[in-house]
Amino acid sequence: MDIADWLRELSLERYAETFRDNAIELEVLPELSEADLEKLGVLLGHRKIMLKAIAALGEPAPQPVAEPTPSRGNAAERRQLTVMFCDLVGSTALATRLDPEDLREVIGAYHRCVADTVARFAGFVAKYMGDGVLIYFGYPRHMRTMRSGRFGPGSPSSTRSAGSPRRSG
């Protein structure tokens, strides 16, 4: 089909010579605006008919929509991560009262107690920092049954169960 045939289908063949003189072919039609058609001398009603027909030319035929298939390949996955930091309450006072070796034993017992408790709740000890412990729940893998909120209130309030410190006199 050429431009003259297209115009004939619209009963607007009277513009065929104008379109030909201005080198307007079928492939140019989608780029024409109402202002362009007006410059060519196309009447308002005919411009509207042409613009509607041009829009219809540009519409792709409806394609069947394929069902998306779930892919686990390289797709990112969102995971919940709970971060907790806990430290030994009163460690500064202990540091002034205890011998450094005894304080080291107390903090070591505290770290072991925290690590055991974290492990019971499927947590991960990320880092020991002095008397503090940085803990992740849900890392390195997501734990659906994880209840990190139970760790805080159930955490040990003292390290006596892990061993009593010796006092230096």
Side-chain angles (χ1 to χ4, degrees), residues 6-154:
W6 181 76
L7 289 167
R8 202 172 358 270
E9 285 181 8
L10 299 175
S11 299
L12 298 173
E13 59 273 355
R14 65 188 267 191
Y15 297 107
E17 189 176 331
T18 305
F19 275 51
R20 194 175 26 258
D21 292 344
N22 286 281
I24 297 175
E25 300 294 332
L26 287 173
E27 54 271 356
V28 177
L29 286 177
E31 297 176 32
L32 291 179
S33 67
E34 185 169 0
D36 293 332
L37 294 173
E38 186 176 7
K39 285 180 187 174
L40 293 173
V42 178
L43 298 173
L44 177 62
H46 295 164
R47 285 196 304 263
K48 298 299 180 184
I49 292 169
M50 285 183 192
L51 289 171
K52 190 181 291 187
I54 290 169
L57 284 176
E59 293 176 6
Q63 299 293 322
V65 178
E67 290 295 319
T69 56
S71 172
R72 302 290 273 178
N74 292 333
E77 182 178 332
R78 184 177 297 236
R79 295 182 180 187
Q80 293 293 325
L81 176 69
T82 301
V83 178
M84 180 177 178
F85 182 82
C86 61
D87 67 345
L88 183 61
V89 175
S91 64
T92 305
L94 279 175
T96 61
R97 291 187 325 192
L98 296 177
D99 185 59
E101 287 81 20
D102 293 336
L103 180 62
R104 184 172 152 219
E105 285 180 30
V106 170
I107 291 176
Y110 169 72
H111 284 170
R112 285 188 297 280
C113 185
V114 168
D116 291 344
T117 306
V118 167
R120 277 196 335 244
F121 291 96
F124 175 77
V125 175
K127 190 173 188 180
Y128 295 103
M129 295 178 272
D131 68 330
V133 184
L134 180 63
I135 304 160
Y136 300 152
F137 291 95
Y139 174 88
R141 55 188 143 343
H142 178 65
M143 306 303 266
R144 291 180 191 268
T145 59
M146 178 192 69
R147 302 240 191 297
S148 63
R150 289 177 48 198
F151 177 72

